[in-house]
Amino acid sequence: MIIVGICGASGSGKSTLAKAIRDNLTCNAIIIGQDCYYRDHSELPFEQRVHINYDEPDVFDYDEMLSDIQQLAEGHPITKKGYDYANHMRADTAELIEPPDVLLLEGIHIFHDKRMCDQMSLKVYMHVDKDICLLRRIKRDIRARGRSIENIAEQYLATVKPMYEEYISKYIDDADFAIMRGGKNRMAIDAICAYLMTKLLAEKYDKEQEAAASEPDIKSFLAEEG
């Protein structure tokens, strides 16, 4: 299994890029978003959950995500994790995710945990202007997450912008390469897909060679028996 990490600011196009890569590959590929691994705070009242800083690194459960990644890498299915953005609480399901050929991980702090970075064959950073990210975030949060302009603006100034400047902007140093203009960059999509397919073929060839080398020498066996 090949693991790709896609990091960048909220609204930079991480999900768009991940979907484009998945849809352009001719192998089995799945996407897991880091947002599904927010730590569960369902024991807290809604008024307290609203004011949690959801943009800092420690808000994610890295141990749980790493465990799921390792389970997939070992050929075992995992249960699908989820998050309810409107109510600020986990929404996991019993649906199973089977091990893919390519696993695409995307999130604002997906490079924060070195253990997860070490699992990645390719690390991509979305290098997009902050103002564009903000505009995309506004449209997304209103349309898909039911939030108001006032709520989005308050969160952006209180947590999103400070966390970007302190952490997320620096993850570019951990990336193998950066992508400009967001997740619809056709040249970047094609280059990543070509790299992944080449790597898959190389790994398949290596496994076939190892299997062939480990097979018993039938001719020698028959000669000894004769």
Side-chain angles (χ1 to χ4, degrees), residues 117-135:
C117 281
D118 289 342
Q119 304 289 315
M120 300 172 189
S121 297
L122 182 65
K123 296 186 287 295
V124 179
Y125 184 84
M126 308 300 293
H127 193 46
V128 180
D129 184 88
K130 289 187 297 182
D131 292 338
I132 294 176
C133 292
L134 175 58
L135 290 173

PDB file of all heavy atoms in Angstrom, residues 117-135:
ATOM      1  N   CYS A 117       4.199  10.752   9.177  1.00  0.00           N
ATOM      2  CA  CYS A 117       5.024  11.186   8.044  1.00  0.00           C
ATOM      3  C   CYS A 117       5.927  10.058   7.568  1.00  0.00           C
ATOM      4  O   CYS A 117       6.157   9.901   6.360  1.00  0.00           O
ATOM      5  CB  CYS A 117       5.863  12.402   8.433  1.00  0.00           C
ATOM      6  SG  CYS A 117       4.951  13.955   8.411  1.00  0.00           S
ATOM      7  N   ASP A 118       6.432   9.284   8.515  1.00  0.00           N
ATOM      8  CA  ASP A 118       7.331   8.182   8.163  1.00  0.00           C
ATOM      9  C   ASP A 118       6.621   7.096   7.352  1.00  0.00           C
ATOM     10  O   ASP A 118       7.277   6.303   6.670  1.00  0.00           O
ATOM     11  CB  ASP A 118       7.937   7.566   9.429  1.00  0.00           C
ATOM     12  CG  ASP A 118       8.949   8.488  10.097  1.00  0.00           C
ATOM     13  OD1 ASP A 118       9.423   9.429   9.428  1.00  0.00           O
ATOM     14  OD2 ASP A 118       9.247   8.278  11.284  1.00  0.00           O
ATOM     15  N   GLN A 119       5.287   7.058   7.421  1.00  0.00           N
ATOM     16  CA  GLN A 119       4.520   6.070   6.674  1.00  0.00           C
ATOM     17  C   GLN A 119       4.275   6.511   5.227  1.00  0.00           C
ATOM     18  O   GLN A 119       3.874   5.695   4.388  1.00  0.00           O
ATOM     19  CB  GLN A 119       3.155   5.833   7.344  1.00  0.00           C
ATOM     20  CG  GLN A 119       3.209   5.414   8.796  1.00  0.00           C
ATOM     21  CD  GLN A 119       3.719   4.009   8.971  1.00  0.00           C
ATOM     22  OE1 GLN A 119       3.313   3.107   8.255  1.00  0.00           O
ATOM     23  NE2 GLN A 119       4.609   3.808   9.929  1.00  0.00           N
ATOM     24  N   MET A 120       4.512   7.781   4.937  1.00  0.00           N
ATOM     25  CA  MET A 120       4.138   8.348   3.639  1.00  0.00           C
ATOM     26  C   MET A 120       5.245   8.195   2.599  1.00  0.00           C
ATOM     27  O   MET A 120       6.396   8.516   2.849  1.00  0.00           O
ATOM     28  CB  MET A 120       3.798   9.835   3.796  1.00  0.00           C
ATOM     29  CG  MET A 120       2.640  10.119   4.735  1.00  0.00           C
ATOM     30  SD  MET A 120       2.429  11.884   5.048  1.00  0.00           S
ATOM     31  CE  MET A 120       1.195  11.857   6.377  1.00  0.00           C
ATOM     32  N   SER A 121       4.851   7.723   1.426  1.00  0.00           N
ATOM     33  CA  SER A 121       5.790   7.631   0.302  1.00  0.00           C
ATOM     34  C   SER A 121       5.913   8.972  -0.409  1.00  0.00           C
ATOM     35  O   SER A 121       6.914   9.244  -1.076  1.00  0.00           O
ATOM     36  CB  SER A 121       5.307   6.581  -0.706  1.00  0.00           C
ATOM     37  OG  SER A 121       5.274   5.312  -0.126  1.00  0.00           O
ATOM     38  N   LEU A 122       4.884   9.804  -0.277  1.00  0.00           N
ATOM     39  CA  LEU A 122       4.869  11.110  -0.951  1.00  0.00           C
ATOM     40  C   LEU A 122       4.150  12.113  -0.067  1.00  0.00           C
ATOM     41  O   LEU A 122       3.050  11.841   0.426  1.00  0.00           O
ATOM     42  CB  LEU A 122       4.149  10.988  -2.302  1.00  0.00           C
ATOM     43  CG  LEU A 122       4.079  12.239  -3.169  1.00  0.00           C
ATOM     44  CD1 LEU A 122       5.485  12.657  -3.632  1.00  0.00           C
ATOM     45  CD2 LEU A 122       3.180  12.007  -4.380  1.00  0.00           C
ATOM     46  N   LYS A 123       4.764  13.274   0.130  1.00  0.00           N
ATOM     47  CA  LYS A 123       4.171  14.332   0.943  1.00  0.00           C
ATOM     48  C   LYS A 123       3.996  15.586   0.078  1.00  0.00           C
ATOM     49  O   LYS A 123       4.958  16.118  -0.460  1.00  0.00           O
ATOM     50  CB  LYS A 123       5.043  14.628   2.162  1.00  0.00           C
ATOM     51  CG  LYS A 123       5.160  13.444   3.117  1.00  0.00           C
ATOM     52  CD  LYS A 123       5.895  13.794   4.394  1.00  0.00           C
ATOM     53  CE  LYS A 123       7.383  13.962   4.169  1.00  0.00           C
ATOM     54  NZ  LYS A 123       8.039  12.704   3.759  1.00  0.00           N
ATOM     55  N   VAL A 124       2.751  16.034  -0.020  1.00  0.00           N
ATOM     56  CA  VAL A 124       2.396  17.158  -0.890  1.00  0.00           C
ATOM     57  C   VAL A 124       1.868  18.308  -0.044  1.00  0.00           C
ATOM     58  O   VAL A 124       1.038  18.098   0.857  1.00  0.00           O
ATOM     59  CB  VAL A 124       1.320  16.734  -1.912  1.00  0.00           C
ATOM     60  CG1 VAL A 124       0.932  17.912  -2.801  1.00  0.00           C
ATOM     61  CG2 VAL A 124       1.802  15.554  -2.752  1.00  0.00           C
ATOM     62  N   TYR A 125       2.322  19.522  -0.340  1.00  0.00           N
ATOM     63  CA  TYR A 125       1.843  20.710   0.379  1.00  0.00           C
ATOM     64  C   TYR A 125       1.112  21.629  -0.590  1.00  0.00           C
ATOM     65  O   TYR A 125       1.623  21.936  -1.674  1.00  0.00           O
ATOM     66  CB  TYR A 125       3.018  21.463   1.007  1.00  0.00           C
ATOM     67  CG  TYR A 125       2.593  22.648   1.853  1.00  0.00           C
ATOM     68  CD1 TYR A 125       2.224  22.473   3.181  1.00  0.00           C
ATOM     69  CD2 TYR A 125       2.543  23.938   1.316  1.00  0.00           C
ATOM     70  CE1 TYR A 125       1.822  23.550   3.968  1.00  0.00           C
ATOM     71  CE2 TYR A 125       2.156  25.018   2.090  1.00  0.00           C
ATOM     72  CZ  TYR A 125       1.790  24.821   3.408  1.00  0.00           C
ATOM     73  OH  TYR A 125       1.390  25.882   4.167  1.00  0.00           O
ATOM     74  N   MET A 126      -0.084  22.086  -0.188  1.00  0.00           N
ATOM     75  CA  MET A 126      -0.876  22.999  -1.004  1.00  0.00           C
ATOM     76  C   MET A 126      -0.464  24.430  -0.695  1.00  0.00           C
ATOM     77  O   MET A 126      -0.752  24.945   0.382  1.00  0.00           O
ATOM     78  CB  MET A 126      -2.368  22.801  -0.720  1.00  0.00           C
ATOM     79  CG  MET A 126      -2.845  21.365  -0.836  1.00  0.00           C
ATOM     80  SD  MET A 126      -2.599  20.663  -2.469  1.00  0.00           S
ATOM     81  CE  MET A 126      -3.752  21.636  -3.423  1.00  0.00           C
ATOM     82  N   HIS A 127       0.230  25.057  -1.634  1.00  0.00           N
ATOM     83  CA  HIS A 127       0.761  26.411  -1.437  1.00  0.00           C
ATOM     84  C   HIS A 127      -0.161  27.419  -2.127  1.00  0.00           C
ATOM     85  O   HIS A 127       0.016  27.760  -3.287  1.00  0.00           O
ATOM     86  CB  HIS A 127       2.176  26.490  -1.999  1.00  0.00           C
ATOM     87  CG  HIS A 127       2.928  27.712  -1.591  1.00  0.00           C
ATOM     88  ND1 HIS A 127       2.955  28.161  -0.295  1.00  0.00           N
ATOM     89  CD2 HIS A 127       3.685  28.583  -2.314  1.00  0.00           C
ATOM     90  CE1 HIS A 127       3.710  29.248  -0.223  1.00  0.00           C
ATOM     91  NE2 HIS A 127       4.141  29.526  -1.445  1.00  0.00           N
ATOM     92  N   VAL A 128      -1.188  27.868  -1.380  1.00  0.00           N
ATOM     93  CA  VAL A 128      -2.227  28.725  -1.941  1.00  0.00           C
ATOM     94  C   VAL A 128      -2.347  29.989  -1.096  1.00  0.00           C
ATOM     95  O   VAL A 128      -2.227  29.939   0.135  1.00  0.00           O
ATOM     96  CB  VAL A 128      -3.583  27.978  -1.979  1.00  0.00           C
ATOM     97  CG1 VAL A 128      -4.685  28.861  -2.559  1.00  0.00           C
ATOM     98  CG2 VAL A 128      -3.455  26.691  -2.789  1.00  0.00           C
ATOM     99  N   ASP A 129      -2.595  31.130  -1.744  1.00  0.00           N
ATOM    100  CA  ASP A 129      -2.715  32.416  -1.063  1.00  0.00           C
ATOM    101  C   ASP A 129      -3.774  32.346   0.048  1.00  0.00           C
ATOM    102  O   ASP A 129      -4.852  31.778  -0.136  1.00  0.00           O
ATOM    103  CB  ASP A 129      -3.099  33.498  -2.079  1.00  0.00           C
ATOM    104  CG  ASP A 129      -3.139  34.880  -1.452  1.00  0.00           C
ATOM    105  OD1 ASP A 129      -2.087  35.556  -1.426  1.00  0.00           O
ATOM    106  OD2 ASP A 129      -4.223  35.276  -0.975  1.00  0.00           O
ATOM    107  N   LYS A 130      -3.477  32.949   1.204  1.00  0.00           N
ATOM    108  CA  LYS A 130      -4.365  32.887   2.363  1.00  0.00           C
ATOM    109  C   LYS A 130      -5.748  33.469   2.080  1.00  0.00           C
ATOM    110  O   LYS A 130      -6.762  32.969   2.588  1.00  0.00           O
ATOM    111  CB  LYS A 130      -3.734  33.627   3.546  1.00  0.00           C
ATOM    112  CG  LYS A 130      -2.550  32.927   4.167  1.00  0.00           C
ATOM    113  CD  LYS A 130      -2.091  33.646   5.425  1.00  0.00           C
ATOM    114  CE  LYS A 130      -1.601  35.063   5.098  1.00  0.00           C
ATOM    115  NZ  LYS A 130      -1.109  35.758   6.318  1.00  0.00           N
ATOM    116  N   ASP A 131      -5.815  34.557   1.305  1.00  0.00           N
ATOM    117  CA  ASP A 131      -7.108  35.182   1.012  1.00  0.00           C
ATOM    118  C   ASP A 131      -7.998  34.252   0.189  1.00  0.00           C
ATOM    119  O   ASP A 131      -9.214  34.180   0.407  1.00  0.00           O
ATOM    120  CB  ASP A 131      -6.901  36.500   0.255  1.00  0.00           C
ATOM    121  CG  ASP A 131      -6.239  37.564   1.129  1.00  0.00           C
ATOM    122  OD1 ASP A 131      -6.330  37.439   2.369  1.00  0.00           O
ATOM    123  OD2 ASP A 131      -5.636  38.496   0.585  1.00  0.00           O
ATOM    124  N   ILE A 132      -7.398  33.543  -0.750  1.00  0.00           N
ATOM    125  CA  ILE A 132      -8.161  32.579  -1.549  1.00  0.00           C
ATOM    126  C   ILE A 132      -8.669  31.450  -0.657  1.00  0.00           C
ATOM    127  O   ILE A 132      -9.817  31.017  -0.775  1.00  0.00           O
ATOM    128  CB  ILE A 132      -7.290  32.016  -2.687  1.00  0.00           C
ATOM    129  CG1 ILE A 132      -6.959  33.136  -3.689  1.00  0.00           C
ATOM    130  CG2 ILE A 132      -7.996  30.861  -3.391  1.00  0.00           C
ATOM    131  CD1 ILE A 132      -6.030  32.715  -4.788  1.00  0.00           C
ATOM    132  N   CYS A 133      -7.820  30.994   0.248  1.00  0.00           N
ATOM    133  CA  CYS A 133      -8.229  29.939   1.191  1.00  0.00           C
ATOM    134  C   CYS A 133      -9.419  30.393   2.028  1.00  0.00           C
ATOM    135  O   CYS A 133     -10.360  29.616   2.263  1.00  0.00           O
ATOM    136  CB  CYS A 133      -7.073  29.554   2.101  1.00  0.00           C
ATOM    137  SG  CYS A 133      -5.705  28.719   1.274  1.00  0.00           S
ATOM    138  N   LEU A 134      -9.388  31.646   2.479  1.00  0.00           N
ATOM    139  CA  LEU A 134     -10.473  32.169   3.311  1.00  0.00           C
ATOM    140  C   LEU A 134     -11.779  32.208   2.529  1.00  0.00           C
ATOM    141  O   LEU A 134     -12.832  31.803   3.039  1.00  0.00           O
ATOM    142  CB  LEU A 134     -10.127  33.561   3.824  1.00  0.00           C
ATOM    143  CG  LEU A 134     -11.233  34.286   4.611  1.00  0.00           C
ATOM    144  CD1 LEU A 134     -11.666  33.463   5.815  1.00  0.00           C
ATOM    145  CD2 LEU A 134     -10.763  35.673   5.044  1.00  0.00           C
ATOM    146  N   LEU A 135     -11.736  32.677   1.294  1.00  0.00           N
ATOM    147  CA  LEU A 135     -12.945  32.752   0.479  1.00  0.00           C
ATOM    148  C   LEU A 135     -13.526  31.355   0.243  1.00  0.00           C
ATOM    149  O   LEU A 135     -14.742  31.146   0.314  1.00  0.00           O
ATOM    150  CB  LEU A 135     -12.636  33.428  -0.859  1.00  0.00           C
ATOM    151  CG  LEU A 135     -12.328  34.927  -0.785  1.00  0.00           C
ATOM    152  CD1 LEU A 135     -11.880  35.440  -2.143  1.00  0.00           C
ATOM    153  CD2 LEU A 135     -13.547  35.712  -0.299  1.00  0.00           C
TER     154      LEU A 135
END
